[in-house]
């Protein structure tokens, strides 16, 4: 069987980490693409030289030509810029929307059968625009946010409860950013809901509220520490889990930004929800029962995503 092909659009911090993880796991041969000449080629060569030490045969190449992504099975998109001090949200949307147009057209022309995972921020709007520009079926284009957000939530809970992170399973909904909705009812340690653990004295409601707030601001906390960039190890790890679910037809239920057509009362938007990922891409949206508080929080989050989309449509009239 021919090896799978993984194309990584954007060879920055996340792109480089994605390439390393994909090579170590031998997900397939890897093409790192970037508009900057030399960077994808240099990173590809550096990473290839890990092969003899780590024992992987994955072929890693760098490119500035979209033709090299031809026939990719999975494409992970991190191309764009991160928000810098002094840059308005609309400035960021304006720049990254143009990037999504170029990337979408490159995918449409060269790899229309790929499963595409978008990471570029603002995520929920960029994944929607990327899908529009690429013309791929909605189930083949998803956004990576929830896996990362729930990993952050799980990490903080495992620390608080002093339990193995392996037993913590958390559930987040909504847009990526400070309006995301961690749902306690479906967040458990070995099946025991967080609220029950609080009742048993493992933690307090105040402490859990603090953890929810910290999870919502999880990306910003890292930006404030790094000062010159944003998180990349955990975002890359999260997208690789999604790619593996697709390549292995694993039918994992992962929180992803997926296209909704009425589920959770949302239509024609990409929002974070539990999704079954298998060989068909986003095969099924899992619609769980929410209590009134989670419903209200989800509405705030969805409204924030809608506002971003309106801004996109205002900038690029072909999206309106
Ligand atoms: N096509 C391809 N690559 C591009 C384009 C483009 N049109 N425009 C910019 N890039 C590349 C840059 O040259 C850079 O190498 O995208 C890469 C982005 O890398 P970093 O700046 O290191 O950003 P990174 O930390 O990888 O994050 C990428 O993910 O989490 C989000 O907010 C984050 O939107 C950002 C993205």
């Amino acid at each position: 069987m021919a090896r799978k092909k993984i194309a990584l659009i954007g060879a920055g911090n996340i792109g480089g980490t994605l390439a390393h993880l994909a090579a170590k796991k031998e997900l397939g041969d890897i093409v790192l693409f970037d508009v900057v000449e030399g960077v994808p080629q240099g990173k590809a060569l550096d990473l290839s030289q890990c092969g003899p030490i780590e024992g992987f045969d994955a072929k890693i190449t760098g490119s500035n030509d979209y033709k090299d992504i031809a026939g990719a099975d999975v494409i992970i998109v991190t191309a764009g810029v991160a928000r810098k001090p002094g840059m308005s949200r609309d400035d960021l949307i304006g720049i990254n929307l143009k990037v999504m147009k170029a990337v979408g057209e490159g995918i449409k022309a060269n790899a229309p059968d790929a499963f595409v995972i978008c990471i570029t921020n603002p995520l929920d709007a960029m994944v929607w625009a990327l899908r529009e520009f690429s013309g791929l079926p909605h189930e083949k284009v998803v956004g990576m946010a929830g896996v990362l957000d729930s990993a952050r939530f799980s990490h903080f809970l495992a620390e608080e409860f002093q339990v193995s992170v392996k037993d913590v399973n958390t559930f987040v909904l909504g847009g990526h950013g400070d309006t995301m909705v961690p749902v306690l009812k479906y967040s458990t340690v070995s099946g025991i809901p967080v609220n029950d653990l609080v009742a048993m004295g493992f933690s307090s409601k105040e402490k859990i509220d603090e953890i929810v707030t910290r999870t919502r601001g999880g990306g910003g906390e890292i930006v404030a520490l790094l000062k010159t960039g944003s998180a990349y190890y955990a975002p890359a790890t999260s997208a690789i889990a999604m790619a593996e679910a697709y390549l292995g037809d694993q039918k994992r239920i992962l929180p992803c930004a997926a296209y909704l057509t009425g589920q959770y009362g949302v239509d024609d938007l990409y929002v974070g929800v539990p999704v079954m990922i298998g060989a068909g891409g986003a095969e099924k949206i899992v619609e769980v029962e929410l209590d009134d508080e989670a419903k209200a929080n989800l509405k705030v989050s969805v409204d924030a995503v809608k506002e971003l989309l309106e801004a996109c449509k205002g900038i690029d009239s072909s999206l309106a």
Side-chain angles (χ1 to χ4, degrees):
M1 196 167 66
R3 289 201 213 174
K4 297 291 182 191
K5 179 167 175 178
I6 318 291
L8 307 171
I9 314 291
N13 282 336
I14 301 179
T17 311
L18 284 168
H20 197 186
L21 290 171
K24 278 193 82 152
K25 286 172 174 269
E26 302 249 25
L27 294 189
D29 290 334
I30 297 152
V31 177
L32 257 175
F33 173 96
D34 205 287
V35 281
V36 179
E37 283 178 25
V39 167
Q41 291 84 355
K43 288 200 178 184
L45 186 57
D46 188 8
L47 285 163
S48 299
Q49 293 165 0
C50 298
I53 306 160
E54 294 182 321
F56 61 72
D57 286 311
K59 197 165 154 239
I60 311 171
T61 47
S63 171
N64 308 111
D65 185 345
Y66 272 109
K67 290 205 179 73
D68 291 327
I69 72 165
D73 296 286
V74 171
I75 299 179
I76 307 179
V77 179
T78 59
V81 299
R83 189 158 161 177
K84 299 190 178 63
M87 193 188 270
S88 76
R89 189 206 60 179
D90 285 0
D91 291 341
L92 176 72
I93 292 180
I95 296 168
N96 284 352
L97 199 55
K98 281 208 190 87
V99 174
M100 290 305 104
K101 190 167 176 17
V103 175
E105 289 170 356
I107 293 172
K108 185 182 205 164
N110 296 286
D113 297 324
F115 178 57
V116 179
I117 302 168
C118 180
I119 306 186
T120 302
N121 276 319
L123 191 269
D124 307 274
M126 292 304 112
V127 64
W128 183 89
L130 181 64
R131 207 301 310 168
E132 291 289 312
F133 291 129
S134 69
L136 265 58
H138 287 97
E139 68 275 14
K140 297 295 283 297
V141 182
V142 295
M144 190 296 294
V147 176
L148 172 63
D149 294 331
S150 74
R152 287 177 172 153
F153 193 24
S154 296
H155 165 69
F156 296 142
L157 286 177
E159 270 193 338
E160 170 63 9
F161 295 141
Q162 297 191 346
V163 297
S164 165
V165 78
K166 287 181 196 150
D167 295 327
V168 185
N169 212 317
T170 56
F171 189 103
V172 297
L173 279 174
H176 185 44
D178 45 18
T179 61
M180 82 177 82
V181 186
V183 183
L184 291 180
K185 185 175 160 189
Y186 295 114
S187 298
T188 65
V189 176
S190 288
I192 308 162
V194 165
N195 286 336
D196 291 12
L197 287 157
V198 170
M200 285 182 241
F202 275 77
S203 182
S204 63
K205 184 178 177 310
E206 293 68 34
K207 192 69 207 174
I208 299 298
D209 287 347
E210 264 173 42
I211 288 176
V212 166
T213 304
R214 189 171 178 198
T215 301
R216 287 199 176 120
E221 183 176 351
I222 292 174
V223 170
L225 289 166
L226 294 179
K227 295 183 185 70
T228 55
S230 47
Y232 52 100
Y233 295 112
T237 306
S238 304
I240 292 290
M242 292 165 67
E244 285 183 293
Y246 171 75
L247 290 168
D249 191 22
Q250 291 172 346
K251 314 283 186 205
R252 288 198 66 190
I253 309 265
L254 296 171
C256 308
Y259 185 70
L260 300 185
T261 52
Q263 300 91 339
Y264 294 95
V266 179
D267 194 28
D268 189 30
L269 280 189
Y270 271 86
V271 175
V273 290
V275 183
M276 184 188 285
I277 305 281
E283 294 185 353
K284 194 186 282 182
I285 311 282
V286 183
E287 201 173 356
V288 299
E289 198 54 47
L290 296 177
D291 61 23
D292 289 345
E293 190 187 350
K295 269 189 201 151
N297 287 338
L298 181 61
K299 185 177 179 311
V300 171
S301 190
V302 167
D303 287 346
V305 175
K306 276 187 189 156
E307 224 179 90
L308 289 174
L309 272 203
E310 286 314 309
C312 289
K313 291 175 183 173
I315 293 166
D316 185 329
S317 57
S318 75
L319 294 171

